[in-house]
Amino acid sequence: MIQEVGQEAEMLTDAAGEMVEQQSLNVIDLFLAGGWIMWVLLAMSVYAVYVFFERNAALRNALKEDKNFMSKIKDYIHSGNIENARNLCEQTDNPVARLVAKGISRIGRPLNDIQTAVENAGNIEVARLEKGLASLASISGGGPMIGFLGTVTGMIEAFFQMASAGNNIEVSSLAGGIYTALVTTVGGLIVGLIAYFAHNYLVSRVDRVVATLETRTMEFMDLLNDPTA
């Protein structure tokens, strides 16, 4: 008797395991269940990841700075070697060097003109570094909205199937629409969160570059205002 009960329990356990295996879904199945909207979200996520890594590399390069750069510029300008200072700026590939190069090219003009030229060059550098950030901001807000669009279309499909079935409503007939609704919601939220955090991280890096540019602009203008220069 005990042996028979044990065999029945084992059979029930195996059957339950088979049902779990049959009902489990992997990521690909969930993605395909979301329909065409998931492909839109996938494209948006790929673009967001590309912008993040490309901008992060550019900002990392912009934050690289030779600690002796401004000291060398100061020595060249004090000694009257303007050409050497200009060559040093051309050999250094970062926003600070381009900023200083613009100021050096205006030496001999009124200080207000030099400062205006340097500030304009700084604005151009910042605009260049911010390229793609607006797209990330759009994806962070648009991703969840597109996911919500999938939710609405999925529920419309589910209710259409319900109305078409009349009194013979089956849960399986509603599964497609419900899958679409839930999966696209999750997909949109994931894409939106990725883009949101990526955008905020890059903005913080841009702010660091802006702070560095403002500091170097003040150092350069103080250098030109130095009576010994």
Side-chain angles (χ1 to χ4, degrees):
M1 181 68 178
I2 297 176
Q3 185 177 4
E4 293 179 357
V5 172
Q7 292 177 350
E8 291 179 358
E10 185 177 353
M11 292 175 60
L12 289 173
T13 303
D14 295 340
E18 292 179 359
M19 290 178 63
V20 171
E21 291 180 358
Q22 292 176 358
Q23 294 176 357
S24 63
L25 286 174
N26 56 35
V27 176
I28 296 177
D29 292 333
L30 288 173
F31 178 87
L32 295 176
W36 63 271
I37 287 182
M38 294 300 294
W39 292 101
V40 176
L41 293 173
L42 176 63
M44 293 172 65
S45 64
V46 170
Y47 179 74
V49 171
Y50 165 76
V51 170
F52 173 75
F53 283 104
E54 190 273 333
R55 285 295 87 197
N56 190 46
L59 290 167
R60 186 186 299 114
N61 182 65
L63 288 169
K64 289 181 180 179
E65 184 181 9
D66 183 3
K67 296 181 179 180
N68 298 321
F69 176 77
M70 291 303 298
S71 298
K72 294 178 182 178
I73 293 295
K74 181 178 181 179
D75 293 338
Y76 285 140
I77 292 179
H78 279 179
S79 62
N81 294 325
I82 305 300
E83 189 63 28
N84 289 340
R86 184 180 294 108
N87 291 335
L88 177 61
C89 292
E90 292 177 354
Q91 295 170 4
T92 306
D93 183 20
N94 62 41
V96 172
R98 289 188 285 271
L99 203 79
V100 174
K102 178 61 70 173
I104 292 175
S105 67
R106 297 294 191 273
I107 289 181
R109 298 186 181 183
L111 291 178
N112 289 336
D113 292 347
I114 297 176
Q115 184 169 359
T116 300
V118 172
E119 290 176 352
N120 290 337
N123 292 334
I124 293 173
E125 291 296 330
V126 172
R128 185 180 300 167
L129 293 173
E130 289 179 340
K131 183 182 66 175
L133 297 189
S135 299
L136 277 182
S138 299
I139 292 174
S140 68
M145 296 300 293
I146 293 177
F148 181 67
L149 174 63
T151 303
V152 174
T153 56
M155 295 308 297
I156 290 175
E157 180 182 351
F159 280 109
F160 176 78
Q161 294 294 337
M162 186 183 301
S164 300
N167 295 327
N168 300 320
I169 300 176
E170 295 182 1
V171 176
S172 59
S173 64
L174 307 178
I178 295 174
Y179 268 137
T180 300
L182 297 179
V183 171
T184 55
T185 301
V186 173
L189 289 174
I190 292 174
V191 172
L193 287 172
I194 291 173
Y196 176 78
F197 288 114
H199 175 265
N200 286 350
Y201 175 78
L202 293 177
V203 168
S204 67
R205 302 274 285 179
V206 171
D207 290 341
R208 288 181 57 188
V209 176
V210 171
T212 301
L213 292 178
E214 291 176 348
T215 302
R216 298 297 173 258
T217 298
M218 293 176 61
E219 290 181 9
F220 181 73
M221 294 310 300
D222 290 342
L223 172 62
L224 297 183
N225 282 312
D226 188 351
T228 62

